[in-house]
Amino acid sequence: MKVLLINGSARRKGNAYTALSEVAKQLEKNGIEAEIVQIGAKPVRGCVACGQCKAKGLGKCVFDDDICNQVAAKMAEADALIVGSPVYYGQPNGSVLSLMQRLFYSAGETVKNKPAAAVCVCRRGGATAAFQTLNMPFQMMNMPVVTSQYWNIVYGAAEGQAALDTEGMQTMRTLADNMAWMLNKIHADGKTVYPEREQWQMMNFIR
């Protein structure tokens, strides 16, 4: 089994990477493969609501000039997802939000039903709002949200300082243990078992 971890920071070895690395190491101790994907400093376009991904049945975004479709291909081979981001003005990095919105809309089948978790890193405040924002899409895609002993928040300002947050690092390890436990339950005996669900009945408030 494999977990894809998205580092939503432009800083390759910053505190978001430190937090996700702690998760990855603990996952591997549990026998779960972990891959951290760096979102990088290159632009990630936002969804323009063109609808071409659906109209053409692409299973990916029609725009192929950034990291979105690369992540979709990796997610198709993964069994779970963890998204980490620094906190900017009480919100996740705009690039990682753009990535998640396009990924979930254009390639939703790659994430559907797979366990997920969010991780936020901040200097001082705003992490709970950012954490909630990152968790919202998971629930729309029937993705079981994996918990820890506390909210998945780590504190640090200077690069690598997050490693000094002992409780935060323990929270990352507990998150990894819980993720491994859930994956083992879902894929017990070599079978992947998801709940049977009713067909979605979408209703607009204004008709």
Side-chain angles (χ1 to χ4, degrees):
M1 291 175 286
K2 180 177 180 179
V3 177
L4 185 68
L5 299 95
I6 298 175
N7 179 7
S9 172
R11 295 180 177 175
R12 186 168 296 276
K13 299 292 184 179
N15 286 315
Y17 175 82
T18 300
L20 291 175
S21 293
E22 192 73 8
V23 179
K25 286 187 290 186
Q26 191 70 14
L27 283 169
E28 289 169 353
K29 287 181 180 179
N30 281 278
I32 307 291
E33 184 182 351
E35 180 184 359
I36 299 177
V37 174
Q38 170 72 23
I39 197 171
K42 293 181 179 179
V44 179
R45 68 164 70 233
C47 181
V48 297
C50 67
Q52 292 301 299
C53 58
K54 301 293 186 185
K56 296 181 178 179
L58 298 177
K60 63 179 183 179
C61 184
V62 70
F63 295 108
D64 201 19
D65 55 357
D66 61 19
I67 198 173
C68 182
N69 289 334
Q70 298 171 41
V71 172
K74 288 180 179 293
M75 195 62 228
E77 303 298 322
D79 300 288
L81 175 66
I82 297 176
V83 181
S85 176
V87 175
Y88 297 155
Y89 297 97
Q91 304 166 84
N93 180 1
S95 292
V96 79
L97 288 179
S98 293
L99 171 63
M100 289 180 70
Q101 289 164 7
R102 284 171 56 221
L103 172 69
F104 281 39
Y105 188 73
S106 66
E109 290 301 314
T110 68
V111 300
K112 188 177 180 181
N113 294 316
K114 296 176 180 179
V119 170
C120 284
V121 179
C122 73
R123 181 191 69 85
R124 185 171 178 84
T128 52
F131 180 66
Q132 181 179 355
T133 299
L134 286 177
N135 274 291
M136 295 289 275
F138 302 151
Q139 297 175 58
M140 292 185 69
M141 302 305 294
N142 281 299
M143 301 173 79
V145 177
V146 181
T147 61
S148 186
Q149 64 190 23
Y150 199 75
W151 299 300
N152 302 324
I153 296 168
V154 179
Y155 292 89
E159 188 171 294
Q161 202 171 51
L164 302 176
D165 180 1
T166 55
E167 183 177 350
M169 291 294 100
Q170 185 183 60
T171 300
M172 296 298 99
R173 294 190 296 273
T174 303
L175 167 61
D177 290 339
N178 289 346
M179 175 68 82
W181 175 83
M182 185 177 288
L183 284 172
N184 283 317
K185 292 294 183 181
I186 291 172
H187 299 279
D189 301 321
K191 299 178 182 178
T192 303
V193 180
Y194 296 125
E196 291 187 13
R197 298 191 177 91
E198 295 181 18
Q199 185 175 354
W200 185 28
Q201 299 182 43
M202 185 175 69
M203 176 181 173
N204 297 329
F205 287 104
I206 299 174
R207 292 180 178 271

PDB file of all heavy atoms in Angstrom, residues 61-75:
ATOM      1  N   CYS A  61      -7.299  17.124 -16.001  1.00  0.00           N
ATOM      2  CA  CYS A  61      -7.559  18.510 -16.395  1.00  0.00           C
ATOM      3  C   CYS A  61      -7.135  18.728 -17.840  1.00  0.00           C
ATOM      4  O   CYS A  61      -6.122  18.184 -18.299  1.00  0.00           O
ATOM      5  CB  CYS A  61      -6.805  19.464 -15.470  1.00  0.00           C
ATOM      6  SG  CYS A  61      -7.154  21.216 -15.817  1.00  0.00           S
ATOM      7  N   VAL A  62      -7.910  19.533 -18.568  1.00  0.00           N
ATOM      8  CA  VAL A  62      -7.589  19.825 -19.964  1.00  0.00           C
ATOM      9  C   VAL A  62      -6.296  20.632 -20.084  1.00  0.00           C
ATOM     10  O   VAL A  62      -5.602  20.568 -21.090  1.00  0.00           O
ATOM     11  CB  VAL A  62      -8.772  20.554 -20.649  1.00  0.00           C
ATOM     12  CG1 VAL A  62      -8.924  21.974 -20.109  1.00  0.00           C
ATOM     13  CG2 VAL A  62      -8.611  20.553 -22.164  1.00  0.00           C
ATOM     14  N   PHE A  63      -5.960  21.377 -19.036  1.00  0.00           N
ATOM     15  CA  PHE A  63      -4.712  22.138 -19.027  1.00  0.00           C
ATOM     16  C   PHE A  63      -3.601  21.240 -18.463  1.00  0.00           C
ATOM     17  O   PHE A  63      -3.710  20.731 -17.360  1.00  0.00           O
ATOM     18  CB  PHE A  63      -4.854  23.403 -18.182  1.00  0.00           C
ATOM     19  CG  PHE A  63      -5.846  24.380 -18.745  1.00  0.00           C
ATOM     20  CD1 PHE A  63      -7.080  24.570 -18.135  1.00  0.00           C
ATOM     21  CD2 PHE A  63      -5.548  25.108 -19.889  1.00  0.00           C
ATOM     22  CE1 PHE A  63      -8.005  25.466 -18.659  1.00  0.00           C
ATOM     23  CE2 PHE A  63      -6.469  26.003 -20.422  1.00  0.00           C
ATOM     24  CZ  PHE A  63      -7.698  26.180 -19.806  1.00  0.00           C
ATOM     25  N   ASP A  64      -2.545  21.088 -19.213  1.00  0.00           N
ATOM     26  CA  ASP A  64      -1.491  20.148 -18.844  1.00  0.00           C
ATOM     27  C   ASP A  64      -0.141  20.854 -18.721  1.00  0.00           C
ATOM     28  O   ASP A  64       0.896  20.283 -19.066  1.00  0.00           O
ATOM     29  CB  ASP A  64      -1.408  19.038 -19.897  1.00  0.00           C
ATOM     30  CG  ASP A  64      -0.731  17.783 -19.367  1.00  0.00           C
ATOM     31  OD1 ASP A  64      -0.653  17.623 -18.130  1.00  0.00           O
ATOM     32  OD2 ASP A  64      -0.264  16.966 -20.174  1.00  0.00           O
ATOM     33  N   ASP A  65      -0.176  22.082 -18.217  1.00  0.00           N
ATOM     34  CA  ASP A  65       1.053  22.881 -18.171  1.00  0.00           C
ATOM     35  C   ASP A  65       1.555  23.117 -16.754  1.00  0.00           C
ATOM     36  O   ASP A  65       2.373  23.994 -16.515  1.00  0.00           O
ATOM     37  CB  ASP A  65       0.842  24.221 -18.877  1.00  0.00           C
ATOM     38  CG  ASP A  65      -0.351  24.998 -18.330  1.00  0.00           C
ATOM     39  OD1 ASP A  65      -1.059  24.473 -17.435  1.00  0.00           O
ATOM     40  OD2 ASP A  65      -0.581  26.135 -18.796  1.00  0.00           O
ATOM     41  N   ASP A  66       1.040  22.348 -15.797  1.00  0.00           N
ATOM     42  CA  ASP A  66       1.539  22.439 -14.424  1.00  0.00           C
ATOM     43  C   ASP A  66       1.499  21.057 -13.783  1.00  0.00           C
ATOM     44  O   ASP A  66       1.372  20.049 -14.474  1.00  0.00           O
ATOM     45  CB  ASP A  66       0.781  23.500 -13.607  1.00  0.00           C
ATOM     46  CG  ASP A  66      -0.712  23.201 -13.481  1.00  0.00           C
ATOM     47  OD1 ASP A  66      -1.117  22.038 -13.687  1.00  0.00           O
ATOM     48  OD2 ASP A  66      -1.475  24.134 -13.173  1.00  0.00           O
ATOM     49  N   ILE A  67       1.565  21.000 -12.475  1.00  0.00           N
ATOM     50  CA  ILE A  67       1.740  19.726 -11.767  1.00  0.00           C
ATOM     51  C   ILE A  67       0.460  18.919 -11.593  1.00  0.00           C
ATOM     52  O   ILE A  67       0.499  17.750 -11.223  1.00  0.00           O
ATOM     53  CB  ILE A  67       2.377  20.011 -10.376  1.00  0.00           C
ATOM     54  CG1 ILE A  67       2.985  18.728  -9.800  1.00  0.00           C
ATOM     55  CG2 ILE A  67       1.363  20.650  -9.428  1.00  0.00           C
ATOM     56  CD1 ILE A  67       3.770  18.970  -8.520  1.00  0.00           C
ATOM     57  N   CYS A  68      -0.696  19.488 -11.902  1.00  0.00           N
ATOM     58  CA  CYS A  68      -1.981  18.856 -11.571  1.00  0.00           C
ATOM     59  C   CYS A  68      -2.116  17.444 -12.131  1.00  0.00           C
ATOM     60  O   CYS A  68      -2.428  16.507 -11.394  1.00  0.00           O
ATOM     61  CB  CYS A  68      -3.132  19.736 -12.055  1.00  0.00           C
ATOM     62  SG  CYS A  68      -4.762  19.064 -11.626  1.00  0.00           S
ATOM     63  N   ASN A  69      -1.915  17.260 -13.417  1.00  0.00           N
ATOM     64  CA  ASN A  69      -2.115  15.937 -14.011  1.00  0.00           C
ATOM     65  C   ASN A  69      -1.036  14.945 -13.598  1.00  0.00           C
ATOM     66  O   ASN A  69      -1.272  13.736 -13.580  1.00  0.00           O
ATOM     67  CB  ASN A  69      -2.201  16.054 -15.535  1.00  0.00           C
ATOM     68  CG  ASN A  69      -3.499  16.702 -15.981  1.00  0.00           C
ATOM     69  OD1 ASN A  69      -4.508  16.643 -15.282  1.00  0.00           O
ATOM     70  ND2 ASN A  69      -3.470  17.339 -17.136  1.00  0.00           N
ATOM     71  N   GLN A  70       0.137  15.454 -13.257  1.00  0.00           N
ATOM     72  CA  GLN A  70       1.179  14.572 -12.728  1.00  0.00           C
ATOM     73  C   GLN A  70       0.738  13.990 -11.383  1.00  0.00           C
ATOM     74  O   GLN A  70       0.936  12.806 -11.107  1.00  0.00           O
ATOM     75  CB  GLN A  70       2.485  15.342 -12.558  1.00  0.00           C
ATOM     76  CG  GLN A  70       3.061  15.891 -13.848  1.00  0.00           C
ATOM     77  CD  GLN A  70       4.233  16.815 -13.588  1.00  0.00           C
ATOM     78  OE1 GLN A  70       5.074  16.546 -12.729  1.00  0.00           O
ATOM     79  NE2 GLN A  70       4.314  17.914 -14.321  1.00  0.00           N
ATOM     80  N   VAL A  71       0.139  14.847 -10.555  1.00  0.00           N
ATOM     81  CA  VAL A  71      -0.365  14.387  -9.256  1.00  0.00           C
ATOM     82  C   VAL A  71      -1.522  13.416  -9.451  1.00  0.00           C
ATOM     83  O   VAL A  71      -1.628  12.408  -8.742  1.00  0.00           O
ATOM     84  CB  VAL A  71      -0.777  15.587  -8.380  1.00  0.00           C
ATOM     85  CG1 VAL A  71      -1.485  15.123  -7.110  1.00  0.00           C
ATOM     86  CG2 VAL A  71       0.440  16.430  -8.024  1.00  0.00           C
ATOM     87  N   ALA A  72      -2.385  13.685 -10.427  1.00  0.00           N
ATOM     88  CA  ALA A  72      -3.514  12.793 -10.700  1.00  0.00           C
ATOM     89  C   ALA A  72      -3.016  11.394 -11.068  1.00  0.00           C
ATOM     90  O   ALA A  72      -3.573  10.384 -10.608  1.00  0.00           O
ATOM     91  CB  ALA A  72      -4.384  13.354 -11.820  1.00  0.00           C
ATOM     92  N   ALA A  73      -1.974  11.324 -11.874  1.00  0.00           N
ATOM     93  CA  ALA A  73      -1.416  10.025 -12.268  1.00  0.00           C
ATOM     94  C   ALA A  73      -0.841   9.289 -11.063  1.00  0.00           C
ATOM     95  O   ALA A  73      -1.006   8.068 -10.923  1.00  0.00           O
ATOM     96  CB  ALA A  73      -0.351  10.226 -13.335  1.00  0.00           C
ATOM     97  N   LYS A  74      -0.177  10.019 -10.179  1.00  0.00           N
ATOM     98  CA  LYS A  74       0.374   9.407  -8.971  1.00  0.00           C
ATOM     99  C   LYS A  74      -0.745   8.974  -8.031  1.00  0.00           C
ATOM    100  O   LYS A  74      -0.678   7.919  -7.392  1.00  0.00           O
ATOM    101  CB  LYS A  74       1.314  10.382  -8.265  1.00  0.00           C
ATOM    102  CG  LYS A  74       2.639  10.609  -8.988  1.00  0.00           C
ATOM    103  CD  LYS A  74       3.514  11.591  -8.230  1.00  0.00           C
ATOM    104  CE  LYS A  74       4.849  11.808  -8.922  1.00  0.00           C
ATOM    105  NZ  LYS A  74       5.694  10.593  -8.895  1.00  0.00           N
ATOM    106  N   MET A  75      -1.791   9.787  -7.954  1.00  0.00           N
ATOM    107  CA  MET A  75      -2.900   9.475  -7.052  1.00  0.00           C
ATOM    108  C   MET A  75      -3.646   8.229  -7.504  1.00  0.00           C
ATOM    109  O   MET A  75      -4.174   7.475  -6.682  1.00  0.00           O
ATOM    110  CB  MET A  75      -3.851  10.685  -6.989  1.00  0.00           C
ATOM    111  CG  MET A  75      -4.837  10.652  -5.839  1.00  0.00           C
ATOM    112  SD  MET A  75      -4.032  10.668  -4.245  1.00  0.00           S
ATOM    113  CE  MET A  75      -4.878   9.331  -3.401  1.00  0.00           C
TER     114      MET A  75
END
